[in-house]
Amino acid sequence: MAVPDATSVIKLPWTEGVAWVASDVCMNGTPVLQSPRHVLRNQIEKAEKKGLRMKTGVECEFFLLTNGVETEIADVKDVAIKPCYDQGALMRHFAVISELLEHMETLGWKPYQADHEDGNGQFELNWEYDDCLATADKHTFFKFMAKSVAEKHGFRATFMPKPFVNKTGNGAHCHVSVWNPAGSINLFHAKDGELGLSELAYNFLAGVLENSQALVAILNPTVNSYKRIDGQSTASGSSWAPCTVSYTGNNRTHLLRIPDEGRFELRLADGAVNPYLLQAAILASGLDGIDKKLKAPERCDWNGHLPPPPNAPALKALPSTLLEALDNLSHSESLKQSLGEEFVKSYLKIQKEQWRSYTSHLSKWELDNTLDC
């Protein structure tokens, strides 16, 4: 039974008389422990007991495709080698982008940016950060809204992590800060702290890095996800995704970036991530770092897609397949304890079924390379 959360109601700006509402999954009146929204609520309650309140903002990248032809971007003129912020390509899809912005304005989301991203046919729209549950609801609704508006204009919007081999993948970057219970004081901000972050922020950040090898299974949940964070793909310049467990200042080539005082950006998650599990996994890992008073490792202030400089610390590579990531999650005692044994057990079961479905599929590559063996 999906029990509607009345605080989440959103009236569809493009269809009169219809509203969207987020719901909490219950069975016989009891919350289902494996429900992603419940998993996030549980983490929020843990944070509240510590006097902490996480606020986040997400950056949802997507491609606009020709409807019915999944292998083609919708704009045949979008062929620039480096198309990021291409004003011509943005204006050719102005009808779609401007309608999405107008809808967000109507909903009170306070959108502040829309741009053509680094892949041909790829876009991103940003709105103001909020409490992490509200951000997860908006993230979920935004994907529905983007697909609906694209269809209205004869296109198909996809958030698939890596729909094209030689184009940048779709990320779901998340900007994170932690506040006091009233939401009036940013506890991550320290004017005199390194890069403007407090000791609490670095404890939280260290927890995310410490758990990142297992987090990958949640934040990169599909077989296709691992083509986006593949080290060779990022080195070739066809991705701005991370490939190692590392953090830096205002540098987009690492897993975690500190773009400004009082917050950090996690660049690991992709467009297939469950919006509620994205927030829950970040909060659980961060609270783990705070509880253990973990210290952040050495900062990596170099291009993470190139060989590291001499005497640089050895960095762990991210998992190269979904199966490897799931194995990491299955051995993560901290995430099983924080997210709940029942959730992790169910998640692993479902995701391993995805992996088995993938491996049992006979691909064209196999036929091309093995038929004449």
Side-chain angles (χ1 to χ4, degrees), residues 357-370:
S357 173
Y358 166 68
T359 56
S360 64
H361 169 71
L362 186 61
S363 68
K364 186 177 183 301
W365 184 93
E366 292 172 276
L367 293 172
D368 290 344
N369 287 273
T370 322

Side-chain angles (χ1 to χ4, degrees), residues 84-198:
C84 200
Y85 308 128
D86 186 332
Q87 61 185 0
L90 180 68
M91 291 306 296
R92 285 193 293 274
H93 278 307
F94 183 74
V96 176
I97 303 304
S98 63
E99 183 171 341
L100 288 171
L101 289 171
E102 288 168 6
H103 292 337
M104 286 193 281
E105 289 277 10
T106 299
L107 296 172
W109 289 13
K110 300 180 181 179
Y112 60 88
Q113 179 174 304
D115 65 70
H116 186 290
E117 273 297 318
D118 200 56
N120 304 102
Q122 187 183 41
F123 299 89
E124 176 182 304
L125 285 77
N126 307 129
W127 62 90
E128 193 172 73
Y129 66 94
D130 205 338
D131 287 319
C132 58
L133 180 59
T135 292
D137 285 340
K138 291 175 182 177
H139 184 177
T140 305
F141 183 81
F142 176 78
K143 293 180 71 174
F144 166 59
M145 179 168 65
K147 292 174 183 178
S148 298
V149 172
E151 286 176 6
K152 173 185 170 182
H153 290 273
F155 307 122
R156 180 174 184 174
T158 179
F159 295 83
M160 182 178 175
K162 193 76 171 176
F164 301 100
V165 174
N166 295 316
K167 291 182 175 60
T168 305
N170 284 321
H173 307 150
C174 190
H175 291 257
V176 181
S177 56
V178 168
W179 298 62
N180 68 332
S184 56
I185 300 173
N186 183 353
L187 302 179
F188 270 15
H189 186 242
K191 195 69 178 177
D192 299 328
E194 185 177 342
L195 297 181
L197 292 188
S198 65

